[in-house]
Amino acid sequence: MSLNEVVITRAIIDRFMQKLSDYAEVDTAIVGGGPAGLVAAYFLAKAGKKTALFERKLSIGGGMWGGGMMFNEIVVQEEGKEVLDHFGVSSMKYQEGYYTADAVEAVSTICSRAVQAGAKVFNCISVEDVIVKEGAVRGLVVNWSPVEMAGLHVDPLSIEAKAIIDSTGHDTEVLSLIARKADITLNTESGGIMGERSMWADKAEQLTLEHTREICPGVYAAGMAANAAYGGPRMGPIFGGMLLSGKKAAELILSSK
Ligand code: 48H
């Protein structure tokens, strides 16, 4: 059988449009495909929630690919290792309470498990705004990342979601938008984004988990975004807090009505 270019083209267009149309309304929309977002996507999809994850970049994985300073090994503590074990990511004890894992194995395995559990990843798509009705966030406003990068004046599309996770990392992009444009008070000390503080790994890892919360109705902060929103310190290349935060965000959503 000879291959036909037009059939290949139509196969891609048909399948992608069907997928995007199906996921225009979801239970959970996750913004950011770093470790926190991917872990949340896995647990939500596995529990049967219709879950879409939007990632600005072509590749998912966020800051985990590069380990520390591009040395592609990550460090996790005991509790973080349990999450890696759950995904089947191999890790090695470095010394009491410290384990290392190959960053590439960690990202690729967690992503693969999330997609196989049913989460749909929409890469190369940026969230540029939220839908707000009657004082509550109801969904996301999305556009192709190249539109954003080229500064083109192209209007976005919208995704309705019952719950949203901001797992956009250091920049806390969704929560910043909400604080700036939506007249919604976040349940932080200031009512807005508190901002990330300088490094203190031990405290930051504890606080990341504490700061993983529903920060305003229907919107959850996870990973570095949670810590930055509530004014916690950074932790450097230890990733247990990110993995545990994604898991906790999923659990909070699953236990909400
Ligand atoms: C679509 C977006 C948008 C947008 C951003 O940075 P991440 O890896 O986030 P986490 O929280 O899962 O992990 C943080 C970790 O990688 C890290 O940076 C650590 C531990 N730092 C400690 C330290 O001291 O430095 O991933 C966030 C993802 C990225 O892939 C972005 O491209 C994506 O979110 N993103 N996607 N629309 N508006 N904004």
Side-chain angles (χ1 to χ4, degrees), residues 5 8 29 33 43 55 74 76 116 174 225 229 242:
E5 292 80 1
I8 296 169
F43 282 106
E55 167 54 52
I74 58 167
V76 293
Q116 285 174 349
V174 179
M242 300 299 120

Side-chain angles (χ1 to χ4, degrees), residues 20-257:
L20 188 58
S21 175
D22 281 353
Y23 281 76
E25 273 177 289
V26 293
D27 294 321
T28 318
I30 299 172
V31 190
L38 287 172
V39 169
Y42 164 80
F43 282 106
L44 287 161
K46 188 164 160 270
K49 292 281 179 197
K50 189 175 179 186
T51 300
L53 184 153
F54 297 93
E55 167 54 52
R56 169 177 286 136
K57 298 199 176 123
L58 203 45
S59 63
I60 46 69
M64 198 149 75
W65 292 111
M69 217 177 85
M70 278 183 358
F71 300 170
N72 65 0
E73 288 283 325
I74 58 167
V75 172
V76 293
Q77 60 282 65
E78 205 67 58
E79 300 82 352
K81 180 190 179 302
E82 284 168 24
V83 182
L84 291 183
D85 289 347
H86 178 92
F87 282 98
V89 175
S90 41
S91 57
M92 268 198 296
K93 186 169 179 175
Y94 183 69
Q95 65 177 59
E96 204 55 44
Y98 296 80
Y99 297 83
T100 62
D102 182 284
V104 175
E105 184 188 347
V107 172
S108 54
T109 305
I110 295 170
C111 179
S112 150
R113 297 286 305 278
V115 172
Q116 285 174 349
K120 288 284 177 273
V121 173
F122 293 90
N123 55 340
C124 219
I125 293 184
S126 294
V127 172
E128 62 169 55
D129 209 338
V130 288
I131 306 172
V132 178
K133 290 184 197 172
E134 286 142 8
V137 180
R138 307 278 188 212
L140 300 175
V141 176
V142 300
N143 214 329
W144 294 116
S145 299
V147 165
E148 180 189 67
M149 288 158 74
L152 300 177
H153 186 167
V154 178
D155 272 1
L157 295 175
S158 303
I159 308 292
E160 208 173 272
K162 295 188 185 114
I164 289 169
I165 299 179
D166 182 342
S167 48
T168 60
H170 294 270
D171 294 335
T172 58
E173 287 203 19
V174 179
L175 299 175
S176 300
L177 274 164
I178 293 171
R180 184 162 54 84
K181 290 181 72 174
D183 289 333
I184 291 174
T185 308
L186 307 179
N187 64 12
T188 62
E189 226 173 274
S190 66
I193 302 291
M194 303 287 289
E196 179 185 301
R197 314 295 296 166
S198 290
M199 194 176 301
W200 184 355
D202 190 51
K203 193 168 178 205
E205 285 290 275
Q206 294 167 31
L207 286 177
T208 300
L209 210 52
E210 239 175 75
H211 292 155
T212 302
R213 294 186 205 153
E214 186 176 20
I215 190 163
C216 64
V219 182
Y220 296 77
M224 204 59 223
N227 212 20
Y230 287 98
R234 65 190 300 186
M235 68 295 290
I238 177 151
F239 282 81
M242 300 299 120
L243 305 171
L244 292 160
S245 169
K247 185 166 183 268
K248 181 178 173 189
E251 286 164 356
L252 290 173
I253 291 172
L254 292 171
S255 64
S256 71
K257 55 171 178 46

